[in-house]
Amino acid sequence: MLTGAIGAIRIGPRGGITGLDLPALLIQAKALGYDETLLARLLPFAERGMVVGAAKQQTET
């Protein structure tokens, strides 16, 4: 689901990933017929992983 939701990624002023637009993703999940309750629990973990991974990648380059 996240690969098709590039517009739901929040980008900071310096171009780094700051998080996900969780309400927008839950609206999209509902429209696609996904389990919103499950995604509401899982998406914060995905968000944290994306932010940490992006920050790590920026410090390595």
Side-chain angles (χ1 to χ4, degrees):
M1 185 176 140
L2 290 176
T3 58
I6 193 76
I9 296 174
R10 293 189 321 240
I11 305 294
R14 295 188 179 184
I17 295 175
T18 61
L20 297 171
D21 186 350
L22 296 177
L25 287 171
L26 291 174
I27 290 169
Q28 183 179 4
K30 182 176 183 177
L32 293 171
Y34 291 121
D35 185 337
E36 297 169 70
T37 304
L38 179 62
L39 284 172
R41 290 180 176 257
L42 294 176
L43 283 173
F45 293 102
E47 177 182 48
R48 194 171 312 135
M50 286 180 67
V51 170
V52 170
K56 183 178 177 181
Q57 186 176 14
Q58 282 186 338
T59 59
E60 290 177 356
T61 56

